[in-house]
Amino acid sequence: MSSARWDILLVGGASGVGKSRAAAQLALEAGAFVVEFDDVVSAVQTVTTAGQHPGLHHFDGIPDTSALGVARVVELQIATANALEPAVLGVVRNRLTVEVPALVEGDYLTPAAASRAIREGAAAGRSVRAVFLHEQDAAQITANYAEREPGAGVQSHRADVSARYSRWLAEQAGLHALPVVDCRPWDTLPQRIRQTLSG
């Protein structure tokens, strides 16, 4: 039997901050099904074109985003995330038809989409919760990438993008009155997320 106090938990945060590891532990403890939203993003981008859905294809034709300034990459990432909000809601609506709790995690979950999902869950008599993980130190994210992808070299530009996007997510979460949890210290992150959600 599930120990979750939620039917659906949305875990958002920038790339390289430790979402997947924390989400996996939370899902295991709660007996929840995990939806990696990155898989959904890949699927919808595969079955659409830039002509059909330009908002989903901002990075088409840009094999190396380090050629762009950090601010521009973040701008495009935010635009992509905004365009993906209907897909987030589609996933939530589908999971609301299932009794097994689900944890949805990904870079492109926006606080705006999470806020709407929470309202839709409440209207259906189900508990949808959201939390956003935050890491503002680009050097720490660079180190995280190095540990996770040791063969990729130093990814400082990507980490700078991630840190700035993380700040945007945290700011937006505040505007929507959604909780933000600092990623560090790592060893207490799942516990702090649980405490935040139980408060």
Side-chain angles (χ1 to χ4, degrees):
M1 186 169 195
S2 170
S3 63
R5 296 187 179 185
W6 36 264
D7 295 301
I8 299 174
L9 175 61
L10 306 174
V11 179
S15 171
V17 304
K19 289 186 311 300
S20 296
R21 181 167 37 179
Q25 185 170 338
L26 291 167
L28 181 63
E29 293 168 354
F33 180 84
V34 177
V35 178
E36 293 191 8
F37 193 62
D38 284 353
D39 292 341
V40 178
V41 173
S42 179
V44 298
Q45 288 175 333
T46 298
V47 298
T48 62
T49 66
Q52 294 167 327
H53 286 285
L56 302 179
H57 295 272
H58 290 295
F59 291 102
D60 287 8
I62 309 176
D64 181 9
T65 58
S66 66
L68 304 176
V70 170
R72 179 57 176 160
V73 178
V74 174
E75 179 185 348
L76 294 176
Q77 191 161 0
I78 291 170
T80 303
N82 289 336
L84 285 161
E85 287 181 5
V88 174
L89 294 169
V91 170
V92 169
R93 288 166 186 158
N94 183 62
R95 296 309 307 178
L96 285 172
T97 67
V98 181
E99 291 301 320
V100 177
L103 188 153
V104 184
E105 67 97 354
D107 305 356
Y108 285 109
L109 300 180
T110 67
S115 182
R116 185 171 170 187
I118 290 168
R119 293 195 299 271
E120 290 197 13
R126 306 290 294 280
S127 175
V128 178
R129 305 293 302 277
V131 63
F132 286 83
L133 308 187
H134 179 45
E135 174 58 71
Q136 64 181 5
D137 186 352
Q140 180 61 59
I141 298 174
T142 300
N144 295 349
Y145 284 143
E147 180 181 347
R148 190 177 78 183
E149 304 163 14
V154 178
Q155 301 184 66
S156 55
H157 181 273
R158 184 183 176 196
D160 288 340
V161 168
S162 187
R164 188 174 297 196
Y165 182 59
S166 186
R167 287 193 292 273
W168 179 81
L169 287 173
E171 290 166 0
Q172 291 297 306
L175 293 176
H176 290 277
L178 297 174
V180 176
V181 177
D182 288 332
C183 292
R184 290 179 288 161
W186 301 109
D187 58 345
T188 63
L189 178 56
Q191 175 187 349
R192 289 184 288 112
I193 293 172
R194 289 194 301 270
Q195 289 172 341
T196 296
L197 294 173
S198 65

